Amino acid sequence: MPGTLDLSIDLALAGLAVGSAAALSGVGLVVTHRVTGVLNLAQGAQATATAYLLRELVVVRNWPLAPAAAFCLLVAAPALGVLLDLAVFRPLRRRDAGQAESMVAGIGVFVLLIGVIVLVWGTTPFGDAPALVPATVLARPGGHALRLDTLVQLAVVLGLAGGVGLVERYTAFGIRLRAVVDNRRLARLAGIDADRISAAGWAFGSFTAGLVGVLLAPLLLLDPYGLPLLVMATMAVAVAARLRSLPVAVATGLGLGIAQSELTRLRPGGQLLPLAQAVQTNLFVVALLVAALLPWGHGQDGPGLATSGGRPGRRGSSAARTACAVLLLLPLGFRPEDLRHALLVPALALVLLSVVVVTGYGGQVSLGQAGYAGLGALGTALLMSGKVPGVPALSAVPALLLAVAATVPLGLLTGWPAVRRRGLALALVTFAVGTALSRLVFDQPYATTGLTVSRLGLPADDQGFYLVELVLLGAGLLLVRSLHRGPPGRALTAMRDHQAGASAAGVDVPRLKLLVFMAGAGLAALGGALTALAQQGFDATAFDPVQGLLWFATVVVAGADSAAGAVLAAALLTGLDAGTLPGVSAVVVGALATAIGRLPGGLAGLARRLADRPAPGLTPLGHRLRRRIAERSR
Amino acid sequence: MAVAVELRGVRVRYGLLEALHGVDLACPAGRVTVLLGRNGSGRTTVLRALAGDVPVSAGQVLREGRDVTALDAHRRAAAGSAYVPAERGVFGSLTVAQNLALSGDAPVDRWFPELARLLHRRADTLSGGEQQMVAVGRALAARPRLLLLDEPGRGLAPAVAARLHGALFELAAAGRTVVLAEQAPLPSLQRAAVVHVLRRGRVAFSGEPSELGPAGGAGGADRTGLSL
């Protein structure tokens, strides 16, 4: 069948465009991670920012393409990388912060950059992003169009990957770089300026990110949300390469690009068609899930997120609890339209509490809690709409309880992989699960049309519903408290601080991990279900994986092991968004997250340090006055 | 006797714990100085403060009279000091030859002829004792003027450890300053110029090895009458 073969070759050539960009993204992530130990979650935003800048210079300011591209890729993008290193990641390195805090800082950078893009260029998509290389057909061997841009992209990917390999292996700089990768502290002691090497790593990573953005932008509309997410999905490439191997990254990127293109030919009939289409459009997400679930060599261990050695300050924590109670009861006196916004507070608080349990208490990084919240919401919606085969349409309370009960065992989706993974490997699995749930489960036609959510069986007015929410939040807080006190609390703390030590002391670590993830899934599902009931509808975008990242960052910024901090954060986030513009809360969290290097223990840690500070002493004048008064009273 | 390196009122904190409570000690140039003390006494922290591996919360670190407290570890290393930690002193993913070349080009086969046949092996495939030789060899290859070693004999065969100690005295005789930390006074270190005994983050005794007496470091500390 020569026709079929010809089509295959043409599709493969077409797939190389996305494939080489994905490979490049993988190369950038691998190099940055190897040199700095950080998985650059902000890469998508860096790519988008560079693409916007190039468009601005070429289309708006009429620069010629070559100098504009040179400026964007060789000056602006590397400078952004160095700036990120200096301002955000170097303070984290200085105090040996763990993987989770570096990720939070990356999320912060992501959110801030997107915020700046929206501020400067707005949200209107642009269809006129300039292409770096014209799509001239060079030759037609066997009738297949061989385009200049495809060849140049391929050459750039292979050249960069090969160049990095050669530099690492054969130059003195490469040996120094490998020494820093191997043992940063020892490298500094051996006279190597490890900070300069990290800055070089960030500059290179930022350059590749910019290149990815500039290459991908002409293939799709340039808008602040689509491109970063596409780049984020290409993380699959780096994960498949285990964040180490450049050849694997290049091969996976090209392979996935070609596979995605070839899959367009697959058109199975009947019920399978939507599934096939979903897999085809989300092939990188599927690949991310598969790559993250395949066994890793060995998980990396990092310090927990709690403020180490900090005795809970009595003054600080009781103040936080009082503030929580006041903030939660305040909306009962609100006007109806304000109360409607406040309905989201207890729901969000429950989702954030799930992160506190999994990450703050259990020490397990979970970036996928939005997935569980979405499952709770979708389950409630499906059960109330009578869309679950064999189950009649239920009223709100049984639907909510059933949805939560069904989600709890699904906590094993991330709990089971967590038994054998730690740190970054676990973070990636949880992110992949959250992303796959969002793209393959929530974003499907059955979930976006024909669902009805009402408060049938619950108080219909907002005030009554808010009271129900408060009761459920109270139940959630009691569960969280029981996990933090007594024997379970000690076992969890032991597991968080030193897993091997906890095992040796008789703690059943695998069981405890499963328990933590199931409790987290239940809490998140309850929060998600309440969100759906509050809004009286299921909105898939509310449970986007980026939302999950933001929630994780929020909890870490608020103080990962502080339940009161999570509740306060939920109130403040909702209040900020309702009182100002939507998205302001994200920018605030982003800004705080980038400062996490200077804010150990988050805001709760800061509050504890302030509360633990000794009472201010008297000035010399005060001492004199005190003596005077004492003398007089005698 | 000129002072090569000196701590003045140095305090070092690890989080809420203070490991050194205002330590004053001096190490003479071109001599061997031994730091003694039990686990947790602050020996390693003194070495790390000298090398710039931990931030100092109060006090000064002086190198040949110059204040280097604010100087980064890599700048101090570039200025001629080398520090060999007690553990994980090699770059595991590099070969032995690359490990040695990273610091400098001084030949080390005189002290560790064993390394000659291991040059192309990755350092993490070596035994603990061999890794220790690479770690010390890496420091020696840099031709440092100040050599800081934390229990360099750990994991080495007694004969190799004694040879290493001999080499350290040779280096001192050639004008280099050597500071090493040990748990207990070893016979091969009797020729050291100065011994500082640390106890719970303070200097409990400073003097010549002969003043320590047969009871060793702890005895010397007890004789000073300090009990904390």
Side-chain angles (χ1 to χ4, degrees):
Chain A
M1 286 194 300
T4 323
L5 183 67
D6 283 346
L7 183 59
S8 293
I9 294 175
D10 283 338
L11 283 173
L13 285 173
L16 277 180
V18 170
S20 50
L24 206 53
S25 154
V27 169
L29 282 176
V30 167
V31 170
T32 318
H33 176 261
R34 288 189 56 188
V35 178
T36 65
V38 176
L39 175 69
N40 183 12
L41 288 176
Q43 199 199 26
Q46 286 168 286
T48 312
T50 314
Y52 264 99
L53 183 64
L54 182 66
R55 183 195 166 273
E56 168 80 18
L57 292 181
V58 173
V59 177
V60 181
R61 294 173 194 264
N62 295 317
W63 285 31
L65 183 63
F71 174 77
C72 287
L73 293 174
L74 301 177
V75 180
L80 176 65
V82 173
L83 177 73
L84 289 183
D85 181 50
L86 286 178
V88 179
F89 294 98
R90 195 171 288 183
L92 282 165
R93 274 202 306 274
R94 285 273 152 88
R95 63 175 182 83
D96 279 333
Q99 209 43 263
E101 282 179 296
S102 305
M103 271 187 254
V104 165
I107 296 167
V109 172
F110 181 95
V111 172
L112 269 187
L113 277 180
I114 297 291
V116 169
I117 290 171
V118 170
L119 213 63
V120 177
W121 288 291
T123 51
T124 325
F126 296 119
D128 55 353
L132 273 193
V133 187
T136 330
V137 176
L138 284 182
R140 291 186 176 277
H144 306 291
L146 212 54
R147 284 165 31 192
L148 179 65
D149 55 346
T150 314
L151 284 184
V152 169
Q153 286 187 22
L154 207 56
V156 165
V157 170
L158 296 175
L160 271 181
V164 169
L166 288 176
V167 165
E168 278 198 354
R169 203 164 285 248
Y170 296 111
T171 64
F173 176 80
I175 305 275
R176 286 209 298 278
L177 185 149
R178 282 165 61 197
V180 172
V181 172
D182 190 301
N183 187 337
R184 179 173 205 94
R185 189 190 139 215
L186 197 62
R188 285 175 57 232
L189 288 167
I192 299 171
D193 189 347
D195 282 339
R196 188 178 293 175
I197 288 190
S198 292
W202 275 108
F204 181 83
S206 195
F207 157 73
T208 50
L211 198 51
V212 171
V214 168
L215 290 180
L216 282 179
L219 303 180
L220 46 130
L221 286 178
L222 187 56
D223 78 297
Y225 305 111
L227 185 56
L229 284 182
L230 180 66
V231 175
M232 216 150 193
T234 60
M235 215 193 286
V237 173
V239 177
R242 292 298 176 254
L243 298 170
R244 297 200 68 80
S245 164
L246 290 178
V248 176
V250 172
T252 314
L254 296 178
L256 282 176
I258 292 171
Q260 191 171 35
S261 186
E262 298 283 349
L263 273 178
T264 49
R265 289 170 60 191
L266 202 63
R267 292 215 151 266
Q271 298 242 314
L272 284 176
L273 185 62
L275 180 73
Q277 281 174 336
V279 169
Q280 192 262 326
T281 35
N282 296 300
L283 187 67
F284 280 91
V285 174
V286 177
L288 176 64
L289 187 64
V290 172
L293 282 174
L294 288 173
W296 287 63
H298 47 89
Q300 285 151 310
D301 216 355
L305 278 165
T307 40
S308 55
R311 165 176 61 83
R314 206 161 286 160
R315 266 193 290 168
S317 63
S318 66
R321 256 177 248 144
T322 318
C324 280
V326 169
L327 276 177
L328 286 175
L329 292 175
L330 212 55
L332 290 172
F334 279 3
R335 286 174 306 173
E337 60 268 30
D338 292 335
L339 181 60
R340 193 153 310 135
H341 291 299
L343 291 183
L344 291 175
V345 173
L348 180 57
L350 279 164
V351 178
L352 297 187
L353 275 178
S354 80
V355 183
V356 170
V357 168
V358 177
T359 303
Y361 296 167
Q364 312 296 309
V365 177
S366 175
L367 303 179
Q369 292 307 101
Y372 292 119
L375 281 177
L378 181 61
T380 310
L382 288 175
L383 285 166
M384 290 192 79
S385 317
K387 288 275 190 81
V388 181
V391 184
L394 298 174
S395 65
V397 176
L400 177 139
L401 293 179
L402 204 58
V404 172
T407 310
V408 167
L410 290 178
L412 294 177
L413 282 178
T414 47
W416 189 250
V419 170
R420 295 191 170 279
R421 286 176 178 76
R422 269 180 286 180
L424 191 55
L426 177 60
L428 286 169
V429 170
T430 55
F431 178 69
V433 168
T435 312
L437 281 174
S438 160
R439 295 288 178 268
L440 302 178
V441 180
F442 307 156
D443 268 355
Q444 296 306 314
Y446 73 92
T448 45
T449 51
L451 289 185
T452 48
V453 185
S454 68
R455 296 190 198 144
L456 190 68
L458 283 172
D461 67 308
D462 283 345
Q463 204 161 31
F465 180 70
Y466 186 72
L467 280 174
V468 173
E469 279 191 306
L470 285 188
V471 171
L472 288 173
L473 175 60
L477 281 168
L478 281 180
L479 171 76
V480 170
R481 190 187 158 91
S482 73
L483 283 172
H484 197 40
R485 301 279 162 102
R490 282 196 294 276
L492 273 180
T493 310
M495 177 174 89
R496 178 189 75 192
D497 291 350
H498 199 296
Q499 195 168 307
S503 289
V507 176
D508 187 350
V509 168
R511 218 186 88 192
L512 201 57
K513 278 191 180 174
L514 295 182
L515 179 82
V516 160
F517 273 95
M518 281 162 65
L523 283 169
L526 183 59
L530 288 179
T531 309
L533 287 172
Q535 295 175 326
Q536 309 208 19
F538 174 73
D539 176 13
T541 55
F543 308 104
D544 196 86
V546 172
Q547 200 67 48
L549 292 182
L550 197 61
W551 286 337
F552 179 77
T554 304
V555 171
V556 175
V557 163
D561 63 342
S562 163
V567 176
L568 275 179
L572 293 179
L573 284 193
T574 316
L576 269 178
D577 274 348
T580 55
L581 290 167
V584 168
S585 67
V587 173
V588 170
V589 170
L592 284 171
T594 53
I596 194 76
R598 297 181 176 85
L599 208 67
L603 295 176
L606 183 69
R608 260 173 229 165
R609 281 194 298 281
L610 288 178
D612 283 351
R613 217 171 40 179
L618 288 176
T619 58
L621 178 69
H623 281 294
R624 271 209 305 281
L625 279 173
R626 177 188 274 175
R627 258 202 317 277
R628 196 79 54 85
I629 293 168
E631 279 163 13
R632 193 161 296 177
S633 62
R634 235 184 274 147
Chain B
M1 221 162 24
V3 172
V5 64
E6 185 179 1
L7 297 185
R8 275 193 197 160
V10 163
R11 292 177 180 272
V12 173
R13 303 176 70 94
Y14 295 119
L16 292 175
L17 290 177
E18 193 175 75
L20 296 184
H21 316 297
V23 164
D24 295 290
L25 58 80
C27 307
R31 299 298 182 91
V32 175
T33 303
V34 181
L35 304 170
L36 292 176
R38 296 175 187 161
N39 281 337
S41 60
R43 296 185 316 259
T44 302
T45 309
V46 166
L47 283 183
R48 293 183 66 190
L50 290 172
D53 193 27
V54 280
V56 167
S57 60
Q60 284 183 310
V61 184
L62 302 178
R63 183 97 177 263
E64 282 149 15
R66 208 162 60 91
D67 188 352
V68 294
T69 319
L71 216 57
D72 243 3
H74 73 268
R75 293 194 194 285
R76 290 196 211 178
S81 75
Y83 170 49
V84 183
E87 279 171 350
R88 296 203 59 203
V90 296
F91 297 104
S93 64
L94 303 183
T95 63
V96 171
Q98 285 170 334
N99 262 287
L100 296 175
L102 206 55
S103 300
D105 51 3
V108 296
D109 40 359
R110 206 179 110 215
W111 293 298
F112 302 115
E114 296 89 340
L115 291 183
R117 62 186 167 79
L118 301 173
L119 285 176
H120 298 292
R121 290 261 300 272
R122 264 175 69 118
D124 56 5
T125 63
L126 304 181
S127 74
E130 287 165 341
Q131 290 194 11
Q132 188 66 2
M133 281 189 242
V134 176
V136 179
R138 200 167 52 71
L140 294 177
R143 291 197 181 90
R145 280 184 292 133
L146 170 64
L147 186 56
L148 307 161
L149 306 112
D150 195 357
E151 296 192 45
R154 194 198 276 192
L156 294 183
V160 181
R163 195 167 78 219
L164 169 65
H165 289 156
L168 296 180
F169 284 102
E170 263 178 57
L171 283 171
R176 321 281 172 83
T177 308
V178 179
V179 184
L180 80 163
E182 287 290 351
Q183 292 220 30
L186 299 170
S188 51
L189 295 173
Q190 274 300 318
R191 288 148 56 203
V194 181
V195 171
H196 297 290
V197 177
L198 286 151
R199 200 162 175 193
R200 299 193 186 183
R202 290 176 212 273
V203 178
F205 167 82
S206 291
E208 294 185 9
S210 55
E211 295 176 65
L212 265 179
D222 287 343
R223 241 181 15 188
T224 59
L226 280 178
S227 59
L228 300 168

